[in-house]
Amino acid sequence: MERIKLTIHHLHKIVSDEKQDAHAVARIYAGEELLLTETMSGQAIHFDRYIHADNDTGEPLRVEWDCDGSAKMSVSRAEVCPCCGGDALHG
């Protein structure tokens, strides 16, 4: 089973020289087609989210986002275990 893997490399905002929770909206595209939108809040450092996308066309993926602080994200396809949904297959 394949899913979309959204990696949040970092998400936060700086208020009075301290890291605070931020809010972001990520838009994931396959080619020019919008596959899905994910909303997130909080702080993150290298956090992976696995998302099922029924309408994935197989075209190259890209992610764009809006954020009220600082964020960096990337997106890829990932095969997940059909029995447990984990990010590694076991035999």
Side-chain angles (χ1 to χ4, degrees), residues 18 33 41 81:
E18 291 185 19
E33 183 177 338
S41 295
C81 178

Side-chain angles (χ1 to χ4, degrees), residues 16-41:
S16 301
D17 295 326
E18 291 185 19
K19 284 186 181 179
Q20 302 274 325
D21 290 355
H23 178 78
V25 176
R27 293 172 306 282
I28 300 172
Y29 295 86
E32 295 302 313
E33 183 177 338
L34 177 64
L35 290 181
L36 50 97
T37 302
E38 281 288 302
T39 302
M40 58 209 81
S41 295

Side-chain angles (χ1 to χ4, degrees), residues 39-86:
T39 302
M40 58 209 81
S41 295
Q43 296 181 48
I45 296 175
H46 197 77
F47 179 77
D48 294 330
R49 292 177 91 164
Y50 292 89
I51 309 156
H52 185 71
D54 290 327
N55 56 344
D56 185 3
T57 63
E59 295 289 321
L61 295 174
R62 76 175 194 281
V63 61
E64 298 176 359
W65 61 88
D66 296 312
C67 179
D68 67 355
S70 176
K72 182 177 178 185
M73 301 179 203
S74 61
V75 66
S76 62
R77 288 182 178 88
E79 190 171 350
V80 295
C81 178
C83 69
C84 70

Side-chain angles (χ1 to χ4, degrees), residues 7 10 54 59 90:
T7 300
H10 71 264
D54 290 327
E59 295 289 321
H90 42 138

